[in-house]
Amino acid sequence: MVRLRFAPSPTGYLHVGGLRTALFSFLYAQQQGGRFVFRLEDTDQQRRVEGSEQDLLQMLQWAEVNCDEGPDIGGEYGPYRQSERLTLYQDHLHILMDSGHAYPCFCTQERLDNLKQQQKAQGLNPKYDGHCRELKAMETQQRQADGEAYVIRMRIPDDGEKILIDDLIRGHVSIDSSQLDDQVLLKSDGFPTYHLACVVDDHLMEITHVVRGEEWLPSFPKHLLLYRYFGWEPPRFAHLPLILNPDRSKLSKRQGDVAVEDFKAQGYVAEALVNFIALLGWNTSDDQELFSMSELIEKFSFERVGKAGAVFDRNKLDWMNQQYLQRLELDDLMRRLQPWLDNSRYSGADPEFLRRAIQIIQPRLVTLPEVLDKLVIFFEDKPQLEQPELIDYLHQPTAQTVLRTFQTALVDADTWDEGNFKQMVKGIQKSTGIKGKDLWTPLRYAITLEEHGPDLSMMAALFGKEKCQQLIENALALTTS
Ligand code: GLU
């Protein structure tokens, strides 16, 4: 059975890149009838942010990227927080020490800083020089007994061995072991580093596929060595491409939103965000763009994840969100709009009127809270046209004729619905000979106050005769002053 995990550190919010990692792992686990595990990598006590674990889990839940095992729901491979697994790492570290694959290092930060500077000055890549590699057991024990601070490092083969990497996305790459550093596995505070903890946990949790960001690629050969030192079969790995800003720099908070909760707060629906994120680096051969979660589960494959950075195109996300909002059942849309409506001036509005207004607005909504602005015209008694281009247009003689004829026809209208409204406009066509765009545009501008407004007949019907009269008067007043 395949087992995949999402292993975030509780250092803050869920990043969109994190959601993509979780999503791809989830999709593959679902497709293969496997399990998707949440593991909290909280061994870096300094970077820990209170409440982060709950935020991460809540955002995954919101996106419907559901975990089968995790700290909140348990499972057979727990505990699922690394801070609760410390003895496991200690035990495994002893195995490495006993076999000579790890050693204590007493170098001070000052020595390491100096070393780094010297290496940089010589144009070399900073790297630990192996100073403590050959300390005798006696000396080590004495220094430990004296309470001297130390870390444990892994021993990288220094024979320039080629380490073969096999990645589901990048294929085969070979790395020279001389490029690798004697990685710290246990910090002086007694906590393991990510490298030891993740290898031990992935093995003990029987993870079959590790999906993670490209930033972990440089650590990959060290992890493979650790698997070898332990005598374990490594899982398969998939390193996902970077997510980029439109200017091809790495996606960063400085250039805009990167937290899933920001997108939620701005009124993107989870289905659209998930769909959009699925396409950051992955696609199908037919360039399909809209996928439900079950289609994603069916169609996802690592073979179709690219190596090149994926651009986070906000316009595309907007387009996608609009597509999803357009397809929602009206009741479902109303439910999702509720939090915004509840805190607005529309909270006490007549529910039926509000519902019909929202139905008219629905095709044009890009994000949920936009509804608030778009509703204004429905609730304002005397909304005024403000765009100068539209007012200029209404100055034209044909526009004036249409508006005036409509105004007169309105007086005689005794029933008022969509059908009547259309009839009335046809009547104007007959009596004035004005048709098509010339006929509809002035009415659209006067009644919807927008160039690409919502459905004009529906809107006129909902407004009622008086309000339409008022709007036509407003438009005429603007063009005769
Ligand atoms: N804790 C690591 C992170 O926050 C996980 C990397 C991995 O998935 O192996 O990115």
Side-chain angles (χ1 to χ4, degrees):
M1 192 213 289
V2 306
R3 291 176 53 81
L4 291 94
R5 72 348 180 240
F6 177 49
S9 301
T11 52
Y13 51 81
L14 177 60
H15 189 281
V16 285
L19 178 57
R20 182 184 61 173
T21 303
L23 176 66
F24 286 6
S25 305
F26 165 80
L27 294 176
Y28 192 70
Q30 287 275 321
Q31 181 187 80
Q32 302 292 319
R35 312 263 301 167
F36 174 56
V37 178
F38 182 99
R39 180 175 77 224
L40 194 73
E41 302 212 319
D42 58 348
T43 57
D44 190 343
Q45 294 295 301
Q46 258 118 47
R47 296 183 58 227
R48 212 194 141 86
V49 173
E50 209 46 56
S52 177
E53 175 183 335
Q54 283 70 25
D55 285 355
L56 292 162
L57 286 167
Q58 269 169 16
M59 283 303 112
L60 287 183
Q61 233 170 42
W62 175 74
E64 296 195 14
V65 174
N66 299 320
C67 307
D68 301 308
E69 298 167 29
D72 52 338
I73 46 174
E76 286 169 44
Y77 295 79
Y80 292 91
R81 289 184 195 98
Q82 288 187 330
S83 57
E84 294 165 17
R85 301 171 64 82
L86 297 178
T87 48
L88 283 171
Y89 310 128
Q90 296 281 356
D91 295 348
H92 282 85
L93 202 67
H94 282 122
I95 301 177
L96 294 181
M97 306 262 284
D98 291 348
S99 58
H101 291 303
Y103 62 92
C105 164
F106 296 88
C107 291
T108 60
Q109 196 53 47
E110 193 188 346
R111 176 175 188 276
L112 296 174
D113 289 344
N114 285 339
L115 177 67
K116 204 176 189 172
Q117 284 198 342
Q118 277 169 24
Q119 288 171 331
K120 274 193 174 158
Q122 290 165 20
L124 300 170
N125 275 340
K127 187 176 150 189
Y128 182 62
D129 60 355
H131 186 256
C132 292
R133 267 187 167 200
E134 309 307 336
L135 292 181
K136 297 273 174 296
M138 283 268 286
E139 181 182 348
T140 301
Q141 278 159 15
Q142 187 58 52
R143 290 172 78 168
Q144 283 172 331
D146 291 346
E148 207 176 318
Y150 67 98
V151 300
I152 308 281
R153 291 182 184 271
M154 75 184 278
R155 195 185 293 268
I156 301 280
D158 41 14
D159 51 3
E161 182 195 339
K162 298 261 179 281
I163 301 172
L164 255 196
I165 282 175
D166 178 14
D167 186 82
L168 286 166
I169 295 167
R170 275 143 227 280
H172 294 276
V173 188
S174 100
I175 308 276
D176 201 306
S177 71
S178 59
Q179 290 173 23
L180 305 175
D181 209 358
D182 277 4
Q183 179 66 52
V184 174
L185 297 178
L186 190 81
K187 294 175 282 184
S188 53
D189 62 4
F191 280 81
T193 58
Y194 156 71
H195 307 278
L196 176 69
C198 104
V199 167
V200 169
D201 286 346
D202 284 341
H203 176 73
L204 296 181
M205 293 184 175
E206 296 186 27
I207 299 302
T208 57
H209 295 72
V210 170
V211 181
R212 59 187 180 188
E214 180 179 294
E215 65 275 19
W216 296 109
L217 211 47
S219 312
F220 185 21
K222 296 184 217 170
H223 297 173
L224 286 177
L225 279 174
L226 286 174
Y227 279 98
R228 189 208 290 174
Y229 293 166
F230 283 121
W232 296 336
E233 185 66 32
R236 303 298 312 272
F237 285 82
H239 288 90
L240 303 180
L242 286 178
I243 303 181
L244 307 174
N245 291 304
D247 68 3
R248 303 201 71 81
S249 58
K250 191 174 163 200
L251 187 72
S252 69
K253 184 100 190 142
R254 259 176 297 118
Q255 292 215 19
D257 305 299
V258 291
V260 172
E261 60 198 276
D262 291 341
F263 292 98
K264 175 175 182 257
Q266 287 165 29
Y268 292 89
V269 291
E271 298 93 317
L273 189 66
V274 162
N275 189 156
F276 173 76
I277 281 178
L279 294 178
L280 291 175
W282 171 80
N283 61 16
T284 49
S285 51
D286 57 3
D287 283 332
Q288 181 181 342
E289 300 232 75
L290 297 178
F291 297 88
S292 64
M293 190 65 103
S294 49
E295 275 179 296
L296 289 174
I297 291 170
E298 186 195 321
K299 298 191 171 172
F300 178 77
S301 75
F302 288 111
E303 289 82 63
R304 293 206 59 86
V305 177
K307 292 192 224 50
V311 174
F312 193 97
D313 177 356
R314 192 69 188 235
N315 295 330
K316 183 163 172 187
L317 173 61
D318 284 348
W319 171 81
M320 217 168 247
N321 206 50
Q322 185 170 18
Q323 299 299 311
Y324 276 89
L325 292 182
Q326 284 173 353
R327 287 165 173 76
L328 288 180
E329 297 283 339
L330 187 54
D331 282 335
D332 190 4
L333 176 64
M334 294 294 293
R335 193 176 49 75
R336 298 187 200 221
L337 288 172
Q338 215 53 55
W340 277 279
L341 295 171
D342 281 347
N343 297 314
S344 75
R345 56 185 275 209
Y346 310 113
S347 60
D350 169 27
E352 193 42 39
F353 181 82
L354 190 63
R355 197 182 148 82
R356 287 183 62 196
I358 287 173
Q359 186 178 24
I360 294 174
I361 294 170
Q362 181 172 10
R364 303 174 58 245
L365 273 185
V366 173
T367 62
L368 294 169
E370 271 183 12
V371 76
L372 302 179
D373 273 351
K374 295 205 186 299
L375 277 174
V376 170
I377 181 171
F378 292 86
F379 287 86
E380 196 103 332
D381 282 338
K382 287 189 181 175
Q384 287 283 353
L385 243 184
E386 270 153 20
Q387 297 102 299
E389 328 77 78
L390 307 198
I391 300 174
D392 279 354
Y393 178 91
L394 292 179
H395 272 103
Q396 294 177 23
T398 46
Q400 291 282 314
T401 311
V402 170
L403 292 185
R404 284 182 200 290
T405 319
F406 185 73
Q407 196 180 27
T408 320
L410 264 177
V411 180
D412 299 331
D414 15 87
T415 43
W416 190 258
D417 58 27
E418 261 182 77
N420 276 14
F421 175 80
K422 285 185 183 152
Q423 252 355 89
M424 209 186 284
V425 182
K426 277 206 182 116
I428 307 175
Q429 179 177 337
K430 259 208 188 117
S431 62
T432 62
I434 301 171
K435 52 184 188 214
K437 237 179 135 221
D438 292 341
L439 172 64
W440 288 95
T441 308
L443 294 170
R444 159 167 295 287
Y445 285 3
I447 294 173
T448 71
L449 311 189
E450 282 187 69
E451 191 172 354
H452 305 289
D455 186 286
L456 174 60
S457 316
M458 277 170 88
M459 204 150 154
L462 181 61
F463 279 171
K465 179 170 155 172
E466 261 107 78
K467 182 156 172 176
C468 286
Q469 248 160 351
Q470 179 69 55
L471 288 164
I472 301 291
E473 260 168 44
N474 290 350
L476 283 169
L478 276 174
T479 54
T480 45
S481 52

